[in-house]
Amino acid sequence: MIEENINVAFLDGVIKNEYPDIYYHLGVSTNDSVLDHFREVKAVVIAGSGDRIKIFAEEWAAKRNKRIFVLPKEERFVTCYCDGVLFVSHGMGMPSASICVQELMRLVYFLKDGDLEKLDEVFWCRVGTSGGVGCEPGTVIVTTESLMVDMKPYRVLIGKKELFMNGNFPMDIAEAIIKANQHCGFGVKPGKTVSGNDFFIEQMRTDGAICLIDEPRKIKWLNWIYENGVRNIEMESALLAGFMNHWGFSRFATICVAIVNRLKGDQIESTKEQLLAFNESSGIALFNYLETIM
Ligand code: R2B
Ligand code: URA
């Protein structure tokens, strides 16, 4: 239920047309008429790379036979809208994704006129790559809970105070995604996800320019998170869960394909063709679910 923690002090002034909201990083404002085309948004799909976002939007446009609206600013994030789905890139890591998700939450609140019921119908999904933990490359993992590398939820510092946000993902949505992909031809499994603040140090790689651990320490950590139900590691889902839960959204997910099995190594050794196929799998898993709700 969305009812708490919305910054209505600011956002309701926008709804009442007292002032515009400028989504600086997305490169659009509530004064721009292009947003009239976005009003029927039912799903927000975010992914790290702008190129992937464009591919997703093109695939969706082809399936639905509808046109794509692209926002002109692509310097920070690429934003496309097509037939009920807003596709946006979030860059790499939680600082970048937090800017993207905050501007999108403001935007969707505006598009839904501050109507909490309509807002709660919107489905949010991050689709991306990850390091598998005991999962072979190509496995698609649907996140059930996302935690930071110490297995605690996403947290922000308010001055000296730490604020923890809930890392749970709605189980009914995760189960529905898995069900929609029962016959897809590749593995789609549930699992907890760990979000690191970087690719090397926090993900306990021993192939970074800076390496602060040895091989046994790495394996100990990987085994520890595996035993606690973690099946993949990436860099954004703990933030997504935290922000979605903070407002009280009930429909959101993270679908990530493993591109390496971290229990076997750190380097991404898959070929360009294999990586392309892995990315396609996570896209297929998303579209198979999207088609059940749109
Ligand atoms: C997955 O892949 C990226 C790092 O290569 C990062 O954005 C993530 O979460
Ligand atoms: N993305 C990550 O963040 N980690 C990996 O190991 C692979 C992709």
Side-chain angles (χ1 to χ4, degrees):
M1 268 287 284
I2 301 180
E3 53 188 23
E4 286 179 86
N5 295 326
I6 295 177
N7 183 9
V8 286
F10 173 71
L11 291 175
D12 281 356
V14 181
I15 303 290
K16 289 183 204 140
N17 219 2
E18 290 166 6
Y19 42 82
D21 195 0
I22 301 159
Y23 312 106
Y24 164 64
H25 301 87
L26 299 177
V28 72
S29 96
T30 49
N31 283 335
D32 289 322
S33 59
V34 67
L35 292 184
D36 294 341
H37 299 285
F38 292 26
R39 291 265 177 202
E40 294 307 309
V41 64
K42 292 190 184 69
V44 180
V45 171
I46 57 173
S49 117
D51 285 355
R52 273 198 92 198
I53 282 301
K54 286 184 183 164
I55 293 169
F56 281 155
E58 278 157 20
E59 283 175 0
W60 188 243
K63 272 182 197 292
R64 313 286 287 194
N65 200 20
K66 289 279 163 59
R67 70 162 286 195
I68 305 175
F69 297 89
V70 185
L71 295 187
K73 179 166 173 171
E74 297 190 347
E75 186 194 352
R76 301 296 187 187
F77 305 126
V78 172
T79 309
C80 308
Y81 177 87
C82 175
D83 194 33
V85 187
L86 193 51
F87 296 94
V88 188
S89 61
H90 58 59
M92 280 189 282
M94 289 183 267
S96 175
S98 78
I99 299 169
C100 174
V101 175
Q102 287 238 28
E103 291 193 3
L104 287 172
M105 287 163 78
R106 278 158 47 186
L107 173 60
V108 174
Y109 189 85
F110 165 73
L111 293 172
K112 297 296 167 198
D113 242 341
D115 180 327
L116 300 190
E117 262 175 49
K118 282 195 190 153
L119 201 64
D120 201 25
E121 282 164 15
V122 176
F123 167 63
W124 298 71
C125 190
R126 160 168 150 71
V127 185
T129 56
S130 61
V133 184
C135 292
E136 290 308 314
T139 312
V140 172
I141 295 121
V142 182
T143 304
T144 54
E145 184 182 10
S146 185
L147 301 158
M148 305 293 286
V149 298
D150 56 1
M151 294 293 285
K152 291 185 183 163
Y154 181 71
R155 58 195 169 277
V156 284
L157 289 176
I158 322 288
K160 287 184 182 170
K161 211 176 122 204
E162 275 185 327
L163 174 78
F164 285 85
M165 292 183 172
N166 184 345
N168 285 317
F169 279 75
M171 276 312 289
D172 56 335
I173 304 289
E175 280 163 8
I177 294 170
I178 291 166
K179 188 160 174 242
N181 284 288
Q182 261 170 340
H183 308 294
C184 68
F186 50 84
V188 182
K189 306 205 277 199
K192 290 186 194 174
T193 300
V194 157
S195 295
N197 267 318
D198 81 348
F199 189 81
F200 295 99
I201 298 174
E202 282 210 351
Q203 296 191 26
M204 296 275 199
R205 280 188 151 80
T206 50
D207 65 345
I210 296 170
C211 178
L212 305 174
I213 48 154
D214 57 13
E215 211 58 24
R217 176 76 187 89
K218 171 177 90 179
I219 296 299
K220 193 175 169 204
W221 179 73
L222 288 169
N223 282 335
W224 175 62
I225 61 172
Y226 181 83
E227 281 155 17
N228 281 285
V230 173
R231 293 295 173 269
N232 64 343
I233 308 167
E234 44 77 271
M235 296 177 61
E236 295 87 10
S237 63
L239 169 128
L240 180 67
F243 282 14
M244 295 286 104
N245 285 320
H246 192 72
W247 262 27
F249 283 103
S250 47
R251 290 157 212 250
F252 59 93
T254 289
I255 304 172
C256 281
V257 68
I259 57 170
V260 59
N261 179 355
R262 287 296 312 287
L263 287 172
K264 294 188 178 164
D266 294 338
Q267 297 252 314
I268 314 297
E269 289 168 350
S270 309
T271 63
K272 202 174 146 197
E273 290 72 29
Q274 285 170 323
L275 290 170
L276 201 69
F278 298 157
N279 274 328
E280 270 171 16
S281 300
S282 56
I284 291 168
L286 165 74
F287 286 128
N288 282 344
Y289 175 68
L290 269 190
E291 281 179 322
T292 69
I293 60 164
M294 303 290 289

